Amino acid sequence: MSTGMAATRGAEYFGTVSVAMVTPFTKDGDLDLDAGVALAGHLADKGLDGLVLGGTTGESPTVRPEEKLNLLKAVRSELGDRIKLVAGSGTYSTAESVELSRASEKAGADGLLVVTPYYSRPSQEGLYRHFTAVADAVDTPVCLYDIPSRSVVPIAEDTLRRMAAHPNIRAVKDAKGDIPAAMRLMEETDLAWYSGDDPLNVPWLAVGATGLISVIGHAAPAQLRALRDAVDAGDITGARTISNRLAPLMAAQARLGGVTFAKAALKLQGIEVGAPRLPIIEPTPDEYDRLAEDLRTAGV
């Protein structure tokens, strides 16, 4: 039974237990809308209340804008308001991010996930202007994606504090892991926090994060729902037990990479979503065998 211990700030836009969903492709490498709708429905059936479509785990650098929008429209048409749909609309170009964010808003997104511009290594002032340009251009709530392992540049604490004053910047997906700084910002601002790194799901929820945006949740959606429910009920020990059981999936994701892991894990569970687009590739046969053993060990 819930005691309401888990935070709910931002849940009305971004959900609480979400997956950064892969983008399914046909054998010819084209967008597979039917598989995308089926996968979204499967994840919703297993307890997820949020999906990120067209994000980096959705292979955003190699998926064309019209493909991202078509997938968003198709999932919205099929699932309706049953689940929160967040569009990955950030790129390394501010102008392109604004354009895709506006189009995603028109396509029915509940929220927008805007990643730190990658490769170009902007200054903190550049980050501030980039994110606020996107937030100024739309009415849909924006979640910042702070992932310096991919973007190189972290969003500094003072920059996050500045952006928290923008009425349309509502949340942070954190794959940086500076929990003490985030705790200060959760106390000082109205920003919602989301775990963007599966090994830290329990610590993030325990210190006030609203939820998580997972990769391993492709293979274990019901378990992640149970994990957050345990935290909400004050059962940190139970949440920790679930997380430890899923540790082989976290190790597999680190070993294979998020896209390769998620698509291969789904295939092993009987859900065909196609191979990744180059430069990302499928696992080797030996890697598939090792992943299958990880899934068995994790109970999924």
Side-chain angles (χ1 to χ4, degrees), residues 9 124 127-129 131-133 135-136 141-144 155-172 181-193:
R9 183 188 296 172
Q124 291 299 309
L127 290 183
Y128 175 80
R129 295 186 189 186
F131 286 122
T132 54
D136 284 344
V142 170
C143 178
L144 310 176
I155 310 176
E157 183 176 351
D158 284 345
T159 306
L160 287 165
R161 192 174 283 109
R162 280 180 76 191
M163 288 190 290
H166 195 292
N168 209 31
I169 296 177
R170 304 292 186 90
V172 178
M183 289 173 65
R184 289 190 291 270
L185 288 163
M186 282 187 255
E187 184 72 21
E188 297 170 12
T189 75
D190 290 328
L191 289 172
W193 233 262

Side-chain angles (χ1 to χ4, degrees), residues 188-212:
E188 297 170 12
T189 75
D190 290 328
L191 289 172
W193 233 262
Y194 287 82
S195 171
D197 188 8
D198 280 304
L200 293 181
N201 286 339
V202 174
W204 275 123
L205 291 170
V207 301
T210 295
L212 49 98

Side-chain angles (χ1 to χ4, degrees), residues 5 9 16 21 32 44 50 100 118 131 160 172 192 200 206 230 234-236 255 282:
M5 294 189 68
R9 183 188 296 172
T16 58
M21 198 180 93
D32 191 335
L100 184 55
Y118 37 92
F131 286 122
L160 287 165
V172 178
L200 293 181
D235 182 11
I236 299 299
R255 185 173 71 243
E282 285 189 277

Side-chain angles (χ1 to χ4, degrees), residues 14 20 52-61 68 86-98 100-101 111-123 126-135 141-155 160 163 169 171-176 196 213:
F14 308 107
V52 174
L53 303 178
T56 45
T57 304
E59 300 179 70
S60 58
K68 297 174 187 177
V86 178
S89 61
T91 73
Y92 49 49
S93 162
T94 302
E96 289 181 7
S97 299
V98 166
L100 184 55
S101 295
L112 303 171
L113 182 67
V114 183
V115 69
T116 304
Y118 37 92
Y119 186 80
S120 50
R121 302 180 67 176
S123 66
L127 290 183
Y128 175 80
R129 295 186 189 186
H130 171 83
F131 286 122
T132 54
V134 173
V142 170
C143 178
L144 310 176
Y145 187 7
D146 192 3
I147 181 167
S149 63
R150 300 298 180 97
S151 65
V152 181
V153 178
I155 310 176
L160 287 165
M163 288 190 290
I169 296 177
V172 178
K173 177 186 176 185
D174 194 306
K176 180 170 61 183
I213 301 174

